[in-house]
Amino acid sequence: EFYCMLRALRKVFIPQWRGFDDDSILAADSRAAAYLEVQHACDTSSLSFLAEIFHELAKREIQNKVDTCIRQGVRPGYAFAGRSSAFKCKVLVEASPSLWFSITFLQCTLGQGQNFLVLIAILSVCTSGACIAKASVSELLGGLAAVRAGWIYRGGSPSRVSWGAVFRLTVWILNMELLLANVIRFVGLWSCESHTLNLSALGCVSFDM
């Protein structure tokens, strides 16, 4: 996906680039699209610092586009600097599974009197949960913005299925289901004497010696 984005940047977005002296809607949109493409490429390759820089640049150009559209009395269309690539690569593939294993680790350490390990496990759960919550809110807003812009099945071009609202919200719902399961497991750590909750039966697991 990283190389596909770089290829799209070279073949599509760079040729469409408009200079900063051009304050038209099309110019702001072309600059924002190029910044977003680089941001997505950095997100997929874990270049987080660079991704944040290009994210801020994209937000600025999108705001310029919205301001120009308001002055001219036209609809801005899609006007959201999303992080859909970060959501797929860092949340769905990384943070959500990490949260599952962190809860499992916490389950194994509870009741053993190893307070330091319990603290580490709780911190791991909290950091993964915070990452998932922040990214999920952003992705939901991006999906709703795609709906408002009419990007239901595709976005920007016929090949951009991943920018369409149906694809983005489907991935979002999948992640929310996994997050809900993790929340239920985390509650079960404290409500069950064995610190183990059976998700299929929604009951505590007892270990008879």
Side-chain angles (χ1 to χ4, degrees), residues 192-198 203-207:
C192 295
E193 185 177 353
S194 62
H195 308 299
T196 304
L197 180 70
N198 186 346
C204 296
V205 176
S206 58
F207 299 100

Side-chain angles (χ1 to χ4, degrees), residues 84-106:
S84 56
S85 295
F87 182 76
K88 288 181 290 185
C89 297
K90 294 185 176 298
V91 175
L92 188 64
V93 178
E94 183 177 330
S96 291
S98 176
L99 180 59
W100 182 279
F101 291 118
S102 295
I103 293 175
T104 302
F105 177 64
L106 180 58

Side-chain angles (χ1 to χ4, degrees), residues 23-33 58-72 74-80 149 151:
D23 58 354
S24 65
I25 297 174
L26 185 60
D29 195 43
S30 68
R31 292 192 295 265
K59 285 173 61 177
R60 185 185 67 185
E61 291 298 337
I62 287 175
Q63 188 59 51
N64 290 338
K65 170 190 170 182
V66 172
D67 293 340
T68 305
C69 288
I70 292 175
R71 289 195 301 268
Q72 297 183 6
V74 298
R75 296 184 62 181
Y78 185 79
F80 184 80
W151 290 9

Side-chain angles (χ1 to χ4, degrees), residues 3 123 177:
Y3 292 106
L123 288 175
E177 291 175 349

Side-chain angles (χ1 to χ4, degrees), residues 135-182:
S136 296
V137 171
S138 176
E139 186 63 10
L140 176 61
L141 294 176
L144 295 178
V147 172
R148 289 194 296 269
W151 290 9
I152 305 302
Y153 298 102
R154 294 179 176 85
S157 67
S159 62
R160 291 288 179 172
V161 176
S162 61
W163 286 10
V166 171
F167 180 86
R168 294 180 68 170
L169 293 177
T170 299
V171 174
W172 183 83
I173 291 172
L174 176 63
N175 186 71
M176 286 298 100
E177 291 175 349
L178 184 56
L179 178 61
L180 178 60
N182 278 320

